[in-house]
């Protein structure tokens, strides 16, 4: 009977203490040690630190957090802590000062979230860092119910005892915490259109047949997989590309826009003389602009010559390939 009374009083003390420490006002506190973990934007990013009770973890995020929706913290809770349920609390802080480092133990910050560790051997806490996110809690995870904005790209997590009367074994327990980023299930396409002149005239971009707003350089988030890109303009030739988008990666697409003026590509063996409209041609193996209308091309090599005519139309490329061939057959 006495044990039950003590247990009830201890639990009530824990609840009152939790209610007291959960405040939106900045508070000052001291930890015995600060561990540091760095997170990168990669599906393979995962690091583990072992924390004692009344220790803290400074999670350092990259400056570019384009694809990071949140953080996932997996706690491996020893039996000595799990058996004393609600004896240890995990708190997440915003606006932490000074900058966390291993040699600093006194801090001030706003406690944005607090929860006691559950009475089980494993617990997953998910911390959203962006308002627009796809993180969903389930029977196996706990989602922080508010978006926590990193201060100077750092999320600060603290463990502390919140119950009196727990044994030394519990207070001396070590809790491994594994941290990995929660990445959006999308990638980013960065595309740039390079005009033949300095100024880019209006273009319309279609991604998978859906019109997409565009500036000279644009970025758009896309689902992972293959996508068809179409660039339509009344000032340039239409361009079509296919790109593959990988999760949490940026794919760059640069398209050189071509003028609507017709072009001609000439290839011929060495020693061939080529006349275009009775003017000797010196450009081979490379497209060059010609005017719209009728053109005459004359190829000469030794005493052999051949003449062809083309009608150049706006937006078309023509290829004139002169070759000498020897055909040997056997009966």
């Amino acid at each position: 009977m006495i044990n039950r009374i003590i247990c009830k009083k201890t639990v009530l003390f824990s609840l009152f203490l939790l209610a007291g420490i959960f405040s939106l006002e900045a508070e000052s506190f001291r930890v015995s040690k600060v561990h540091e973990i760095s997170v990168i934007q990669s599906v393979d990013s995962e690091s583990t630190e072992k924390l004692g009770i009344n220790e803290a973890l400074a999670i350092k995020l990259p400056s570019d957090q384009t694809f990071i929706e949140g953080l996932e913290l997996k706690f491996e809770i020893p039996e000595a802590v799990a058996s004393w349920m609600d004896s240890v609390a995990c708190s997440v802080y915003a606006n932490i000062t000074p900058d966390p480092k291993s040699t600093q133990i006194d801090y001030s910050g706003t406690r944005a979230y607090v929860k006691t560790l559950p009475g089980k051997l494993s617990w997953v806490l998910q911390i959203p860092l962006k308002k627009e996110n796809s993180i969903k809690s389930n029977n196996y995870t706990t989602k922080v119910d508010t978006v926590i904005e990193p201060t100077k790209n750092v999320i600060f997590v603290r463990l502390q005892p919140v119950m009196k009367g727990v044994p030394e074994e519990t207070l001396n327990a070590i809790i491994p915490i594994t941290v990995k980023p929660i990445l959006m299930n999308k990638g980013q396409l960065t595309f740039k259109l390079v005009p033949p002149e300095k100024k880019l005239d209006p273009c319309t971009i279609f991604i998978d047949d859906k019109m997409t707003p565009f500036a000279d350089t644009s970025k758009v988030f896309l689902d992972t997989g293959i996508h068809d890109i179409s660039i339509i303009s009344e000032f340039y030739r239409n361009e079509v590309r296919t790109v593959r988008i990988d999760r949490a990666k940026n794919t760059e697409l640069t398209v050189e826009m071509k003028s609507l003026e017709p072009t001609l590509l000439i290839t011929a063996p060495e020693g061939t003389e080529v006349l275009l409209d009775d003017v000797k041609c010196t450009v081979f193996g490379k497209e060059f602009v010609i005017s719209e209308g009728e053109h005459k091309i004359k190829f000469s090599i030794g005493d052999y010559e051949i003449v062809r005519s083309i009608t150049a139309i706006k937006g078309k490329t023509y290829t004139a390939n002169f070759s000498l061939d020897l055909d040997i057959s056997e009966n």
Side-chain angles (χ1 to χ4, degrees), residues 33-317:
K33 184 178 181 180
V34 174
H35 302 258
E36 296 177 277
I37 278 182
S38 294
V39 172
I40 61 175
Q41 283 193 122
S42 170
V43 293
D44 300 321
S45 177
E46 183 175 298
S47 300
T48 301
E49 283 290 331
K50 297 179 179 180
L51 272 67
I53 309 303
N54 203 37
E55 293 185 354
L57 178 63
I59 306 171
K60 298 186 176 181
L61 297 160
S63 56
D64 181 6
Q65 300 165 33
T66 302
F67 304 108
I68 299 179
E69 292 187 337
L71 293 173
E72 181 177 289
L73 280 61
K74 183 178 181 181
F75 296 73
E76 299 295 338
I77 305 173
E79 189 173 348
V81 175
S83 60
W84 283 83
M85 187 172 62
D86 297 329
S87 62
V88 177
C90 169
S91 301
V92 183
Y93 286 84
N95 304 319
I96 197 75
T97 57
D99 294 343
K101 54 185 177 181
S102 58
T103 57
Q104 178 73 33
I105 60 174
D106 292 309
Y107 293 94
S108 176
T110 304
R111 194 188 306 258
Y113 177 82
V114 60
K115 185 176 177 62
T116 55
L117 300 187
K120 51 186 180 181
L121 301 180
S122 181
W123 179 52
V124 176
L125 178 66
Q126 295 182 322
I127 305 172
L129 303 180
K130 294 179 180 177
K131 185 176 180 180
E132 299 295 330
N133 65 78
S134 57
I135 305 172
K136 296 181 180 179
S137 58
N138 52 49
N139 294 333
Y140 306 100
T141 63
T142 300
K143 177 184 176 182
V144 174
D145 53 7
T146 185
V147 174
I148 298 179
E149 296 184 2
T151 303
K152 296 182 179 179
N153 298 324
V154 173
I155 292 294
F156 195 84
V157 179
R158 175 191 178 195
L159 297 179
Q160 66 181 121
V162 292
M163 180 185 290
K164 287 187 175 181
V166 297
E168 287 294 319
E169 182 184 10
T170 300
L171 295 176
N172 294 330
I174 299 297
I175 302 177
I177 303 177
T178 299
V179 181
K180 63 180 182 179
I182 302 175
L183 303 175
M184 64 173 62
N185 194 30
K186 291 179 180 291
Q188 184 174 258
L189 175 64
T190 300
F191 49 90
K192 181 179 181 180
L193 304 187
V194 181
E197 304 295 335
K198 291 185 178 180
K199 182 182 178 182
L200 179 68
D201 289 312
C203 297
T204 302
I205 308 295
F206 289 89
I207 300 179
D208 300 327
D209 297 326
K210 182 178 179 181
M211 190 168 68
T212 304
F214 175 76
D216 288 6
T217 301
S218 287
K219 297 181 179 181
V220 59
F221 289 106
L222 297 173
D223 293 333
T224 57
I226 304 297
H227 297 271
D228 295 321
I229 313 296
S230 299
I231 305 168
I232 311 298
S233 175
E234 62 181 56
F235 302 97
Y236 308 105
R237 300 189 187 192
N238 295 339
E239 301 288 346
V240 176
R241 300 289 189 276
T242 299
V243 296
R244 177 183 178 86
I245 300 299
D246 295 317
R247 183 184 183 191
K249 291 185 178 180
N250 181 60
T251 300
E252 295 184 354
L253 176 64
T254 300
V255 180
E256 293 189 5
M257 305 303 294
K258 297 179 181 178
S259 168
L260 287 174
E261 294 178 293
T263 59
L264 176 64
L265 171 66
I266 297 176
T267 60
E270 187 176 351
T272 304
E273 182 180 70
V274 181
L275 299 179
L276 175 61
D277 298 329
D278 298 324
V279 177
K280 187 175 181 180
C281 183
T282 58
V283 180
F284 299 96
K286 180 181 179 181
E287 291 183 19
F288 58 91
V289 175
I290 59 176
S291 61
E292 295 182 57
E294 294 290 331
H295 294 276
K296 182 178 69 174
I297 308 174
K298 180 181 178 180
F299 294 88
S300 300
I301 185 166
D303 295 330
Y304 179 76
E305 66 178 37
I306 187 171
V307 179
R308 292 288 185 268
S309 297
I310 61 171
T311 302
I313 301 175
K314 185 178 180 180
K316 297 290 185 180
T317 294

